[in-house]
Amino acid sequence: VLKSQEPGTANALALTGAATTTLGFDDATDSDGDGVADNHALVAQDLKATVDGIEYSVSSNSIQVDGNLKITASEKGTSTLNITKDESAIIPAIQEVAAKYNELLLMVTEELYATDSSIQDKSSLKSVVNGIKNLMYQEFGKEDSSLFNAGFSFDKTGVLEVDATVLGEALLDDPDKIKDLFIGVAEDKGFGTMLKETLDDFNSYNGLFDSYKTNMEQRKEKLEEDKEKAVENLDTKYDTMAAQFAAYASVISQMESSFSGLKQMIAMESSSN
C-alpha cells in the first residue's frame, strides 16, 4: 500500500514513469461500478463543508468550530446537529451535597449526645452545622432566590431533602436562575460559592478547625505540665513519707529496746521475790 502520511490535496502523491504502468496505477477501470478503480487508487481530496453558513475547505475530515466543537465527516451529505446543555449531572450533584450535609449532621449529633465522647468543646461542633444551615436560609443571586424554591426542605428531624422533580422543573424553566442561585457572580455569590468559602474558612489559619486544633495542642501542653508537677509533688510526698517512716522505724526500735530492758527488769524482780 502506498499512501501519503497526511490527507488532502496538498499532500497528494504523484506517481510517474514506468512504475505507474507496472503497478497498474494508470488503469482507471471500474469494473464493479463502485466509484473506485480496480487498482484501488484514490484521488486526494479536501473536505468541503458548510457549517452554520460558514464554508470550510480543509485537508482533514474533521472541523473544529467555535466553542471547540469538533465535527468529523463520515460520508457525503447533509447532517443536522442539535446542541443542548447536558443537565443530567446537575441534580445528582446537588443531591450529593445534601447527602454530605446529612452525614455531617448525623456525625455531630451522635458525638454531642455520646456518653463516652472525647470532645469537650462541643459548641464548636454545633457552630459548624449551624453555620452551614444558616447559610441555606439566605437568599442568593440577582433575584434573591431561595434554595427552598428549588426543591430544598428540612424534615422534622432536621434532615435536608432535595425534591428532584421540583429542582428538575426549575432547571427546565430557567437554568440561568439556578446557576445564579448556586454559583452567582463575584458581587453576588451563590449558595455553592459561599458554602465553599465557608468550608475553606473552617480550615484556614485562625479558622474554626485551626483554632480548635490550636486549643487542643495548648490543652495537651497544659496537661503535660500539670502531669509533671503532679509527679514532682508525688515524689516529694513520697520522700517525706519515706523519711517519716524511717523515723517511725527508729522510734519503734527504741521502744522495742526499752521494752526488752523492762522485760529483763521485771524478770529479775520476779526471780528475787
Side-chain angles (χ1 to χ4, degrees), residues 140-141 143-146 149 170 173-183:
F140 306 94
E143 301 181 22
D144 292 333
S145 302
S146 170
N149 294 331
D173 182 56
D174 194 345
D176 289 335
K177 185 176 181 179
I178 296 299
K179 178 182 177 182
D180 203 31
L181 173 63
F182 285 94
I183 300 176

Side-chain angles (χ1 to χ4, degrees), residues 15 25 58 64 72 86 90 93 117 134-136 146 152-153 161 172 218 237 255 263:
L15 299 179
F25 285 114
V58 295
Q64 187 163 325
T72 301
D86 182 10
I90 295 178
S117 174
N134 291 337
L135 190 62
M136 295 180 186
S146 170
F152 278 60
S153 64
E161 299 176 340
L172 290 175
Q218 291 175 349
K237 291 181 179 180
M255 289 178 64
K263 183 178 179 181

Side-chain angles (χ1 to χ4, degrees), residues 16-228:
T16 59
T20 305
T21 303
T22 304
L23 296 174
F25 285 114
D26 58 354
D27 184 0
T29 304
D30 180 11
S31 58
D32 55 7
D34 62 354
V36 179
D38 293 344
N39 59 16
H40 299 287
L42 300 178
V43 178
Q45 301 180 71
D46 288 340
L47 169 66
K48 298 183 182 299
T50 302
V51 181
D52 274 350
I54 301 175
E55 294 185 355
Y56 293 87
S57 180
V58 295
S59 60
S60 170
N61 279 351
S62 297
I63 303 172
Q64 187 163 325
V65 299
D66 290 342
N68 293 325
L69 175 65
K70 184 178 181 181
I71 300 175
T72 301
S74 59
E75 61 183 32
K76 184 178 180 180
T78 302
S79 299
T80 301
L81 300 177
N82 292 320
I83 302 175
T84 59
K85 293 181 178 179
D86 182 10
E87 299 171 346
S88 60
I90 295 178
I91 294 179
I94 294 176
Q95 290 175 324
E96 180 67 11
V97 173
K100 291 302 179 183
Y101 169 80
N102 292 331
E103 184 178 337
L104 173 65
L105 177 65
L106 178 62
M107 291 174 61
V108 171
T109 302
E110 290 179 346
E111 194 66 38
L112 290 176
Y113 295 100
T115 56
D116 58 346
S117 174
S118 58
I119 297 180
Q120 293 185 342
D121 185 12
K122 296 184 179 181
S123 60
S124 295
L125 292 179
K126 291 182 180 179
S127 63
V128 171
V129 177
N130 290 338
I132 297 175
K133 187 173 183 180
N134 291 337
L135 190 62
M136 295 180 186
Y137 283 99
Q138 296 184 24
E139 294 181 337
F140 306 94
K142 300 175 183 178
E143 301 181 22
D144 292 333
S145 302
S146 170
L147 292 175
F148 301 101
N149 294 331
F152 278 60
S153 64
F154 289 102
D155 67 8
K156 61 182 180 181
T157 62
V159 173
L160 180 62
E161 299 176 340
V162 178
D163 190 323
T165 301
V166 175
L167 179 58
E169 291 175 352
L171 273 170
L172 290 175
D173 182 56
D174 194 345
D176 289 335
K177 185 176 181 179
I178 296 299
K179 178 182 177 182
D180 203 31
L181 173 63
F182 285 94
I183 300 176
V185 292
E187 62 275 10
D188 197 356
K189 300 171 184 175
F191 167 71
T193 303
M194 294 186 66
L195 175 61
K196 184 180 183 305
E197 290 181 354
T198 299
L199 298 177
D200 288 342
D201 286 341
F202 286 156
N203 287 315
S204 65
Y205 179 70
N206 285 335
L208 179 63
F209 295 150
D210 181 67
S211 297
Y212 189 79
K213 178 182 178 182
T214 301
N215 291 337
M216 291 293 291
E217 291 174 347
Q218 291 175 349
R219 177 170 174 76
K220 178 182 177 182
E221 292 176 359
K222 181 67 168 56
L223 290 173
E224 289 177 347
E225 291 175 358
D226 292 344
K227 176 185 175 182
E228 291 178 0

Side-chain angles (χ1 to χ4, degrees), residues 230-247:
V231 170
E232 291 177 359
N233 290 335
L234 286 174
D235 289 343
T236 301
K237 291 181 179 180
Y238 177 79
D239 292 340
T240 302
M241 291 177 63
Q244 290 176 343
F245 276 110

